[in-house]
Amino acid sequence: MSQSITDQPLQFAYWVPNVSGGLVISNIEQRTQWDFDYNRKLAQIAERAGFDYALTQIRFTAGYGADNQHESVSFSHGLLAATDRLKVIAALLPGPWNPTLAAKQIATISHLTQARIAVNIVSGWFRGEFKAIGEPWLDHEERYLRSEEFIRCLRGIWQEETFNFAGDFYRYRDYVMKPKPLDPLPEIFQGGSSRAARDMAARVSDWYFTNGNTVEGIRQQVDDVQQKAAANQHQVKIGVNGFVIARETEQEAQQVLHQIIAQANPDAVKGFAHEAKNAGNASPEGEGNWAKSSLEDLVQYNDGFKTNLIGTPQQIAERIIALKNAGVSLMLLGFLHFQEEVEYFGREVIPLVRELERQQQRELAHG
């Protein structure tokens, strides 16, 4: 456990529902909307509740309940304009985006929003989406090689007066982009659970998002990433996905989970599983995102049930602290009914997390 991690308050992010269908592939009622009015109010609720980040999703085609999708960068800017402190992480998909466009877009939004914009580089998992929009579908290793070049180009364009780069996917010669983003520069997030994803994070990313998992499973991933980053003289922080069902009793929370799974849309879950596991199994070690997920796990897109943030506020707070002690710096959270549950989480769970952090600090101070 890193002393520096435990010294810092854990940060919280939420999935922005800018894609229809909510965060579970289920026919259960989800009092969550994908339109901008709902999301603007949600961002304001989240900011008041103590959330630090919001993460927009990027999808270009319908499927698995996601019939409607708002584009991530423009939607992120709208949420930033409606808030004062919240940082918004815009998802970018190499292929549809190139680094030139992305660097310029994000630099401009940085100036418009007091440097509250960040990016999440999504290497791609949905082969059908790439086929639908006429983009080449690269193999697993190539997708991560392209993403790494994308990140190196973004950072170089933002930092260097004159940028030069000769890679397999992108080339720049004496490129000057002004204005640069404001300080601090936009943080760069990326996800994935495969070896290629962890290796990339250990070389170039500011943050590494991993799918939900047990505390021990997360600890193993954190240790792997941090050891590799140290060997590269690089620093990277870890964020973990979790789906929250916070209720007054554990029985109530478990009942909601059972209802979500019982009302899952089996055809949509199986279709998602097929695409997702093809992407995961394509990694040489067969351990990419979702490679080991059950159909029940896949009812929540990013294995959020595995993180087990399901129970009373006290139980959830204690499990979050256990993840922090495993090396996690950010919780990326999804909810069934976003507005009301984000508000409840901020009122009932975050104060307990802060108290447990203070308690841990007192214990460390006293040896």
Side-chain angles (χ1 to χ4, degrees):
M1 180 173 62
S2 167
Q3 180 71 36
S4 61
I5 289 173
T6 57
D7 279 347
Q8 298 297 316
L10 191 78
Q11 294 185 289
F12 293 95
Y14 73 92
W15 284 97
V16 174
N18 60 302
V19 171
S20 64
L23 266 287
V24 290
I25 310 175
S26 175
N27 296 322
I28 193 171
E29 180 192 15
Q30 297 185 67
R31 292 189 293 277
T32 291
Q33 304 297 326
W34 56 275
D35 63 274
F36 183 68
D37 286 344
Y38 180 93
N39 274 282
R40 177 176 53 212
K41 184 177 178 183
L42 172 58
Q44 293 165 346
I45 290 170
E47 185 171 71
R48 290 194 300 270
F51 280 73
D52 305 280
Y53 295 92
L55 173 67
T56 54
Q57 305 173 63
I58 184 59
R59 285 283 295 275
F60 284 96
T61 62
Y64 319 122
D67 293 333
N68 297 283
Q69 318 92 27
H70 283 299
E71 187 276 318
S72 56
V73 175
S74 48
F75 207 81
S76 296
H77 185 202
L79 298 181
L80 287 162
T83 52
D84 298 313
R85 297 179 309 280
L86 190 72
K87 297 176 184 176
V88 182
I89 309 163
L92 299 173
L93 184 60
W97 270 276
N98 64 44
T100 314
L101 172 62
K104 197 71 173 173
Q105 279 181 305
I106 301 303
T108 295
I109 296 174
S110 172
H111 281 263
L112 297 175
T113 61
Q114 297 78 52
R116 290 188 289 128
I117 185 73
V119 296
N120 181 40
I121 307 306
V122 181
S123 294
W125 61 268
F126 189 3
R127 182 175 184 171
E129 182 171 59
F130 276 69
K131 182 179 179 181
I133 61 175
E135 284 287 338
W137 178 248
L138 306 179
D139 72 26
H140 185 273
E141 298 295 287
E142 286 182 314
R143 294 201 300 276
Y144 279 97
L145 288 171
R146 177 169 66 178
S147 291
E148 182 167 338
E149 286 193 10
F150 193 101
I151 290 171
R152 291 186 184 279
C153 290
L154 270 187
R155 193 169 276 128
I157 291 167
W158 287 338
Q159 290 182 320
E160 297 176 24
E161 184 67 23
T162 302
F163 181 61
N164 289 279
F165 187 84
D168 292 327
F169 298 93
Y170 305 110
R171 291 177 177 265
Y172 290 88
R173 181 176 297 168
D174 299 331
Y175 177 53
V176 178
M177 190 201 80
K178 293 182 179 178
K180 307 294 189 189
L182 297 176
D183 286 327
L185 289 179
E187 294 172 290
I188 296 176
F189 292 73
Q190 61 132 130
S193 296
S194 65
R195 176 201 49 76
R198 296 195 298 272
D199 288 356
M200 183 177 97
R203 288 191 292 265
V204 295
S205 300
D206 298 313
W207 286 90
Y208 168 64
F209 277 139
T210 187
N211 272 6
N213 207 333
T214 63
V215 172
E216 186 52 40
I218 295 296
R219 189 188 305 277
Q220 290 173 8
Q221 287 186 319
V222 170
D223 289 348
D224 181 54
V225 172
Q226 297 295 16
Q227 287 169 13
K228 289 172 176 174
N232 296 330
Q233 289 80 53
H234 181 66
Q235 291 187 327
V236 60
K237 291 183 281 190
I238 311 296
V240 172
N241 185 68
F243 190 83
V244 176
I245 305 176
R247 299 294 186 270
E248 290 186 7
T249 68
E250 184 177 14
Q251 183 180 6
E252 286 178 89
Q254 288 294 332
Q255 187 176 11
V256 172
L257 174 63
H258 294 151
Q259 289 172 346
I260 292 171
I261 294 172
Q263 296 183 52
N265 183 327
D267 291 338
V269 174
K270 287 174 184 176
F272 173 70
H274 176 74
E275 289 280 355
K277 292 196 174 192
N278 276 348
N281 287 328
S283 65
E285 71 281 11
E287 292 187 5
N289 274 354
W290 308 292
K292 296 180 178 179
S293 302
S294 69
L295 279 178
E296 288 77 12
D297 294 328
L298 291 168
V299 174
Q300 205 288 310
Y301 292 125
N302 294 92
D303 284 339
F305 298 152
K306 286 185 179 180
T307 314
N308 196 25
L309 302 184
I310 298 162
T312 66
Q314 184 68 36
Q315 288 173 321
I316 291 170
E318 290 171 359
R319 290 165 190 163
I320 287 171
I321 290 296
L323 287 163
K324 182 181 180 183
N325 291 340
V328 171
S329 296
L330 175 69
M331 295 302 305
L332 171 59
L333 305 177
F335 301 86
L336 193 63
H337 312 302
F338 265 84
Q339 286 184 358
E340 58 210 72
E341 294 194 33
V342 163
E343 189 170 32
Y344 182 83
F345 187 88
R347 186 175 69 247
E348 301 294 338
V349 180
I350 291 180
L352 294 175
V353 171
R354 299 301 180 222
E355 179 52 40
L356 289 169
E357 287 177 325
R358 288 189 291 269
Q359 180 181 325
Q360 197 166 67
Q361 286 300 307
R362 289 193 295 267
E363 291 170 358
L364 288 169
H366 290 93

